[in-house]
Every structure is written in C-alpha cells, then in structure tokens.
Amino acid sequence: MSVFDSAFYDQHELVAFHSDKASGLRAIVAVHNTNLGPAVGGCRMFPYASDSAALDDVLRLSRGMTYKSALAGLPLGGGKSVIIGDSHTEKSRELLLAMGEFIDSLGGRYVTAEDSGTSVADMHIMRERTQHVSGITTKQRFGGDPSPYTAYGVYCGIRAALRYQRGTDALKGLRFAVQGAGAVGRHLIERLIRNGADVVVADIDAENLKRAQALGARLVSPEQILTTRADVFVPCAMGAVLNDKTVGELNVDIVAGAANNQLATPDQGDSLRQRGVLYAPDFVINAGGIIDVFYQQQGKSGEQSEKHVERIGDVLTQIFQRSETEALSTHAVAEQMAEAIFQSADKHHFKASA
Ligand code: NAD
C-alpha cells in the first residue's frame, strides 16, 4: 500500500494510521486541507476488503469535504476518518473510546461526526475521550442527525435545477426516480410528495421500502430505477452510480441527489453534459448536513441553519450558468470555484488542545 502514490493523495496535509490491540481498532484519519479552518468530516465504519481500499476511500472522501465546505461558504477544512470493520458485529464501546483517543491526539486538526456505520450514540462515546466531535450538541435537533438538512439542501438544489432548465420549479406532476430511501432519502421523498410530485423509489432494504411506500411512493427494482423515465434522477444510495453504462441508459433531464462521489470518473460529468442532462454536482447539493453540523457546533438555531442551506440553490445556479458559458461540465466548474476559495485563503492556525 502506497500513500503518496494513491490516485487520491492530492497533497493531503496529514494521513494518520492507528491500531489498538486491546479494542481491535484499526483506523485512518485523513486531513486534506485546513486553509479555511479545522477539517470536519464524518467517521465511516466499513468492512473494507483491504487496507488500501480503506486508504483510497478516506482520501477521496476527505478531499471531497474540502471542496464541499469551501463552496458552502463554511470556515471549515476537509477531513474524514475510517474504521476498518463491520459496524454490526465489530463495534464496541472500547473501540469507540480508542477512536476518540486517536482523534484527540491530533489536537483539533480533525473534528469528527457520524457517517455510514456510525451513529449519534457512537459520537457521544467518542466524546468521552475528545472534544473534537460534532453532530452532537446541547440543542440536539433531530438528535444531532444532519440528514434532514442534507435532504432539505437537495430539495432546494432540485428546485434550482428545475428553474434553470425549465423556468419553473413547480413540482406538481413531475416524476422523481429516487435511489435509496435511507436517512436522507426518506426525508426528501416525504417533501417531494408533499409538494405534489410523483415519486418512484428503489432500495435494497425491505424496511426502508415499506416506509417509502407508506409515504406515497411507488416502488421499482434497483435495476429499474436507473432506466425509469422521470424528470429527475435522485441518487441517495451509494457512490459511483454514474458510470459508462448507467449514464447511457438514464432516461431523465436532471440528476440531483445526495450520494457522495456519484461520478465513477470526472469524465462522466462531460458525458452527462453532452447528453443534455443537467447534473447538480454532489458535493455542492449535499452540503446541507455539514452546514447544519457547523451551526449546531456554534449553538445556533435550526432556522439559521436552514437559511444557509437554502443558499445551495444560488450556488448551483451560478455553476449551471458558468458551465453553459464556458462549455465545461458542472462538476469541473464546481471544482474550479471551490479551489479558487480554499487555495487563496490564508492558512488557519491551530491551538493544540490541552
Ligand atoms: P443510508 O445508509 O441511511 O441510506 C442509504 C440507502 O440506500 C439505504 O436504505 C440502502 O439500503 C440503500 N441502498 C444501498 N444500495 C442500494 C442500491 N444498489 N439500490 C438502491 N438502494 C440502495 O445513508 P444516508 O445517510 O441516507 O446517505 C445517502 C447518501 O448520501 C450516501 O452516499 C451518503 O454518503 C450521502 N450523504 C449523506 C449525508 C447525510 O447527512 N446523511 C450527507 C451528505 C452525503
């Protein structure tokens, strides 16, 4: 496994590895860039097939957080952590305490939060060993869960895409193909249906499907969702869903959803543009969660957080306009805009924690 040669290394400021024999913890923290502030990003627990798969994932996700926070206008850098293991069978209080100690040893350069495989309850345990945990606060909106804010940001982004492409953001009568009815998906499905949309959903989890159906969604298979005729495809499941095969088969005018790293390669951004599909870059449209994590950390209200989340629509409109005038993919434009923000910023300085 080589760190510096990884395709995703991209000048990370810090990559730290840690193992703790007693608890079985094996973890990696990646800090991509702290020009704008401390690196904030979730802690993912996943049974990676190899250490290098875990390294690639943490590097890719951590870089994404730098871009996401910069374009969301937050004073935060980009970082992420991964715990190698199965969250259903290998998670224990001891392991989470050991992870808290590991994060604490980095002196605040990295601040963690929940992610797939970790919960708000897990964050409370890590908090016993380090103060560098967010996504849990005294106010405890939605129990600290940022997913409703991510869903709200995606909803605002979808409406911005509709306004840009069609001149109106009315949802009545439009069809949405939603892939994934989990934490984000279910809040979004509920909001879309409430506003008159026709929602078609696929998931691989029976409980989540049942819940979506109870909200009024129609169900299709995971294969069908990728070719369903709809106005908008809304990926809210896993990454790399837009690849050579799926982009050619999509039957929609807009792709706008919460999943991280939707493009298998940046070229897919060009393919979507050439096919006339308006793509809302994932790291822009799914920033609602990190925006709320920041506001919760500052002890600010849910209303303040929502107001900031609503700006996602304006940022997307700027990206759509530049993409058209510069004949570049929306993904490429969004990356350039983020780089212009964080690369020109003065370095943030840290005070080591006591
Ligand atoms: P989640 O695990 O709660 O939900 C994901 C859902 O997708 C699950 O119901 C799962 O069964 C389903 N799924 C998995 N594979 C599928 C497949 N092949 N076809 C159809 N459904 C499938 O996760 P979440 O928190 O809702 O996040 C969804 C996506 O959004 C992830 O990519 C996540 O990284 C991203 N994201 C989440 C947040 C947040 O606030 N939770 C913030 C930013 C980005």
Side-chain angles (χ1 to χ4, degrees):
M1 179 175 60
S2 165
V3 180
F4 300 119
D5 294 337
S6 163
F8 306 105
Y9 175 61
D10 189 37
Q11 301 304 309
H12 263 71
E13 286 180 14
L14 172 92
V15 184
F17 297 79
H18 182 64
S19 75
D20 174 63
K21 207 167 171 194
S23 65
L25 175 72
R26 288 190 305 138
I28 311 174
V29 170
V31 172
H32 176 250
N33 188 286
T34 56
N35 284 8
L36 295 173
V40 181
C43 172
R44 182 169 284 194
M45 182 161 185
F46 188 78
Y48 292 99
S50 64
D51 294 354
S52 62
L55 176 67
D56 283 351
D57 202 35
V58 75
L59 292 175
R60 199 171 45 108
L61 290 164
S62 141
R63 176 182 186 276
M65 289 308 297
T66 303
Y67 284 73
K68 187 181 303 199
S69 287
L71 268 188
L74 297 172
L76 301 177
K80 204 89 181 179
S81 59
V82 293
I83 298 176
I84 302 168
D86 187 328
S87 64
H88 300 291
T89 56
E90 294 177 79
K91 200 193 285 177
S92 65
R93 180 176 158 77
E94 288 63 38
L95 178 133
L96 294 167
L97 289 173
M99 186 66 189
E101 279 167 20
F102 175 32
I103 290 167
D104 202 58
S105 73
L106 302 173
R109 291 180 84 182
Y110 170 66
V111 179
T112 198
E114 60 271 23
D115 199 86
S116 27
T118 61
S119 64
V120 175
D122 297 337
M123 294 303 121
H124 280 284
I125 297 175
M126 288 187 201
R127 185 69 192 255
E128 292 178 35
R129 292 290 192 268
T130 181
Q131 60 177 332
H132 306 301
V133 178
S134 59
I136 48 171
T137 62
T138 44
K139 297 214 175 193
Q140 298 284 309
R141 298 196 280 279
F142 297 105
D145 175 12
S147 307
Y149 291 88
T150 305
Y152 184 51
V154 174
Y155 174 77
C156 296
I158 286 174
R159 293 187 53 181
L162 286 168
R163 271 195 307 276
Y164 186 78
Q165 195 182 61
R166 303 176 173 192
T168 166
D169 59 6
L171 301 185
K172 199 161 172 48
L174 299 189
R175 180 175 298 164
F176 292 78
V178 182
Q179 183 188 44
V184 178
R186 79 178 154 113
H187 289 287
L188 185 59
I189 291 164
E190 200 260 325
R191 208 179 262 276
L192 291 171
I193 291 176
R194 198 171 358 114
N195 284 279
D198 170 24
V199 178
V200 181
V201 172
D203 202 298
I204 51 169
D205 181 284
E207 278 303 305
N208 289 351
L209 276 176
K210 224 159 76 189
R211 198 173 48 193
Q213 195 170 29
L215 291 170
R218 290 186 294 122
L219 309 183
V220 295
S221 72
E223 294 71 36
Q224 282 172 311
I225 200 74
L226 293 159
T227 55
T228 294
R229 173 64 208 145
D231 296 282
V232 187
F233 174 55
V234 189
C236 293
M238 65 297 174
V241 64
L242 302 168
N243 54 43
D244 283 341
K245 181 169 181 295
T246 58
V247 167
E249 291 174 354
L250 283 177
N251 200 357
V252 295
D253 303 325
I254 293 169
V255 174
N260 277 313
N261 300 313
Q262 291 169 29
L263 304 178
T265 64
D267 301 351
Q268 304 304 341
D270 299 304
S271 303
L272 287 164
R273 196 177 80 81
Q274 279 149 17
R275 289 172 178 275
V277 177
L278 186 61
Y279 169 63
D282 46 15
F283 61 88
V284 184
I285 194 169
N286 72 12
I290 187 73
I291 291 171
D292 185 57
V293 161
F294 174 73
Y295 276 76
Q296 292 211 33
Q297 227 178 9
Q298 305 291 310
K300 299 209 171 132
S301 72
E303 291 72 42
Q304 286 169 295
S305 174
E306 270 186 20
K307 280 224 154 14
H308 193 136
V309 170
E310 283 161 12
R311 288 194 235 149
I312 288 175
D314 303 332
V315 177
L316 282 171
T317 304
Q318 280 179 44
I319 292 168
F320 297 150
Q321 281 162 347
R322 269 189 61 177
S323 159
E324 200 168 323
T325 50
E326 295 174 23
L328 278 174
S329 73
T330 52
H331 174 80
V333 167
E335 286 218 332
Q336 285 179 9
M337 282 169 62
E339 281 160 10
I341 297 167
F342 74 81
Q343 286 176 353
S344 63
D346 286 336
K347 196 112 211 98
H348 179 81
H349 292 287
F350 293 93
K351 281 193 216 118
S353 62

